[in-house]
């Protein structure tokens, strides 16, 4: 664009050429000046708001300040609501962690008074002489977020540990580890012995517990009854499957109290001592078999000395 300047004081007309670069610089300068002017007016209005005598300007400044204050309050209110919701979630997580911690303490044998999960831990100390300061809103928000992430991590780890310990406890309950009959001694152990009928050296696949006829026989561990019937040599016999190819056998009973397919728990009465089958007198013949092979019951039972 060409601009021609004509004046009586000039000997000849002057021509100014305005390019796009000049227009861009002019527009940029105008916008920059407008921004500076607005910032200056805003600063002056806020700095000297209490000294403005004009009612119109004063109402305008107060209106702007009220709007900014309302926005700030709205932001703080929304932030506090979000923090309150997160703190409620953290409180629920803490309650869950307390219950998991109490159960883990019980499973591990720790005394309950050593970890009081329903009470705050004791803290104290002398007042610090170093300078201190109040935490800012942003610092509090960041700290809550950090604690929330730590709670999630601890909850996952404690949950996994609780699951492992619970599985371990269940496995122990499924092992034939309690005495199947209340008696002070056993008449024949596991291993090679003299057969009472033939007098020959034979391998005895279980343990014989001497007890009076009618003495209760209990399941040495929880499981499912897979056999309950009469055997020509074992007499009245019961087999309980404990899982993992582990079976306990109770023989020579006078009475059977469970049926095939029935689920029994550890310590449940399943039969009574007798002398049925190939037997010389009232006793319980007890076996533990793994994959069909006889195992020494003393490896599992808490046998009397």
């Amino acid at each position: 664009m060409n601009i021609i300047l004509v004046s009586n004081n000039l000997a000849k007309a002057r021509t100014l050429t305005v390019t796009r670069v000049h227009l861009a610089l002019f527009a940029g300068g105008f916008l920059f000046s407008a921004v500076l002017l607005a910032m200056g007016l805003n600063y002056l209005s806020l700095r000297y708001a209490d000294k403005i005598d004009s009612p119109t300007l004063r109402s305008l400044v107060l209106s702007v300040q009220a709007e900014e204050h309302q926005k700030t309050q709205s932001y703080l209110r929304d932030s506090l609501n979000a923090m309150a919701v997160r703190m409620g979630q953290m409180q629920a997580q803490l309650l869950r962690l307390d219950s998991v911690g109490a159960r883990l303490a019980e499973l591990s044998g720790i005394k309950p008074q050593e970890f009081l999960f329903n009470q705050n831990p004791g803290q104290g100390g002398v007042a610090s002489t170093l300078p201190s300061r109040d935490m800012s809103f942003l610092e509090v928000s960041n700290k809550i977020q950090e604690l929330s992430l730590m709670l999630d991590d601890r909850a996952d780890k404690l949950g996994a540990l609780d699951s492992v310990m619970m599985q371990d406890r269940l496995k122990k309950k499924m092992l034939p580890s309690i005495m199947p009959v209340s008696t002070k001694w056993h008449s024949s152990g596991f291993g090679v012995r003299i057969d009472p009928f033939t007098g020959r050296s034979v391998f005895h696949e279980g343990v014989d517990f001497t007890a009076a006829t009618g003495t209760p026989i209990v399941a040495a561990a929880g499981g499912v009854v897979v056999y309950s019937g009469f055997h020509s040599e074992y007499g009245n016999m019961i087999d309980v499957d404990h899982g993992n190819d582990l079976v306990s056998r109770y023989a020579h009973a006078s009475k059977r109290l469970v049926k095939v397919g029935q689920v029994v728990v550890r310590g449940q009465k399943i039969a009574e001592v007798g002398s049925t089958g190939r037997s010389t007198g009232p006793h319980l013949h007890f076996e533990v078999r793994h994959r069909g092979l006889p195992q020494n019951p003393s490896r599992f039972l808490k046998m009397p000395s």
Side-chain angles (χ1 to χ4, degrees), residues 42-59:
N42 183 64
Y43 171 77
L44 291 175
S45 63
L46 296 176
R47 178 69 176 81
Y48 302 101
D50 56 338
K51 299 179 181 180
I52 298 176
D53 295 330
S54 173
T56 304
L57 292 177
R58 182 182 294 275
S59 62

Side-chain angles (χ1 to χ4, degrees), residues 170-178 220-222 242 246 266 300:
L170 290 176
K171 287 180 180 179
K172 289 181 179 179
K173 285 189 175 182
M174 300 304 288
L175 291 176
S177 57
I178 67 170
H242 307 290
L246 198 64
R266 183 170 62 171
F300 303 92

Side-chain angles (χ1 to χ4, degrees), residues 199 232 274:
S232 60

Side-chain angles (χ1 to χ4, degrees), residues 61-79:
V61 170
L62 292 178
S63 176
V64 172
Q65 290 179 342
E67 184 179 356
E68 292 294 329
H69 179 72
Q70 184 178 2
K71 290 181 179 180
T72 303
Q73 291 298 319
S74 177
Y75 170 75
L76 291 175
R77 184 167 54 253
D78 293 341
S79 299

Side-chain angles (χ1 to χ4, degrees), residues 17-302:
T17 302
V18 180
T19 63
R20 292 182 179 179
V21 176
H22 293 97
L23 291 175
L25 291 176
F26 176 77
F30 178 78
L31 291 176
F32 182 72
S33 299
V35 171
L36 285 179
L37 180 60
M39 292 176 62
L41 291 176
N42 183 64
Y43 171 77
L44 291 175
S45 63
L46 296 176
R47 178 69 176 81
Y48 302 101
D50 56 338
K51 299 179 181 180
I52 298 176
D53 295 330
S54 173
T56 304
L57 292 177
R58 182 182 294 275
S59 62
L60 180 61
V61 170
L62 292 178
S63 176
V64 172
Q65 290 179 342
E67 184 179 356
E68 292 294 329
H69 179 72
Q70 184 178 2
K71 290 181 179 180
T72 303
Q73 291 298 319
S74 177
Y75 170 75
L76 291 175
R77 184 167 54 253
D78 293 341
S79 299
L80 288 175
N81 290 337
M83 291 172 62
V85 171
R86 192 53 188 157
M87 290 181 68
Q89 295 174 350
M90 292 170 63
Q91 185 178 13
Q93 286 180 309
L94 282 175
L95 292 176
R96 178 175 177 271
L97 289 179
D98 287 345
S99 62
V100 173
R103 185 163 62 250
L104 290 177
E106 179 184 358
L107 291 175
S108 60
I110 299 176
K111 297 180 180 179
Q113 58 269 25
E114 294 184 8
F115 290 96
L116 299 177
F117 291 95
N118 58 346
Q119 297 182 10
N120 293 326
Q123 292 180 327
V126 298
S128 176
T129 57
L130 299 176
S132 61
R133 63 179 180 83
D134 295 333
M135 294 183 65
S136 66
F137 181 82
L138 181 59
E139 289 176 331
V140 173
S141 178
N142 291 337
K143 193 64 177 179
I144 290 178
Q145 183 65 22
E146 180 183 350
L147 291 176
S148 176
L149 294 176
M150 291 176 62
L151 275 176
D152 291 338
D153 178 69
R154 300 300 186 274
D156 292 340
K157 291 179 179 178
L158 281 178
L161 182 59
D162 180 42
S163 177
V164 170
M165 294 187 70
M166 185 63 70
Q167 290 180 3
D168 183 64
R169 189 177 187 182
L170 290 176
K171 287 180 180 179
K172 289 181 179 179
K173 285 189 175 182
M174 300 304 288
L175 291 176
S177 57
I178 67 170
M179 289 289 292
V181 65
S182 178
T183 183
K184 298 294 183 180
W185 59 288
H186 58 279
S187 57
S188 183
F190 178 84
V192 179
R193 70 167 186 176
I194 303 299
D195 189 282
F197 293 96
T198 64
R200 300 172 64 89
S201 177
V202 294
F203 186 83
H204 188 228
E205 297 182 345
V207 176
D208 291 339
F209 295 103
T210 300
T213 300
T215 302
I217 300 173
V218 300
V224 179
V225 178
V226 293
Y227 183 88
S228 179
F230 187 85
H231 189 278
S232 60
E233 295 186 349
Y234 285 109
N236 284 320
M237 184 182 79
I238 296 173
D239 283 352
V240 178
D241 189 343
H242 307 290
N244 296 321
D245 300 318
L246 198 64
V247 176
S248 59
R249 175 169 293 176
Y250 312 80
H252 306 303
S254 62
K255 183 186 296 185
R256 292 175 283 107
L257 304 177
V258 292
K259 300 179 180 179
V260 174
Q262 183 175 340
V263 178
V264 297
V265 297
R266 183 170 62 171
Q268 178 180 338
K269 182 178 178 180
I270 59 175
E272 293 180 358
V273 172
S275 184
T276 56
R278 192 170 181 266
S279 170
T280 61
H283 73 285
L284 168 66
H285 175 82
F286 178 72
E287 294 182 11
V288 176
R289 291 178 173 270
H290 182 252
R291 295 182 179 177
L293 300 177
Q295 307 293 318
N296 190 346
S298 64
R299 295 175 50 196
F300 303 92
L301 295 179
K302 300 174 181 177

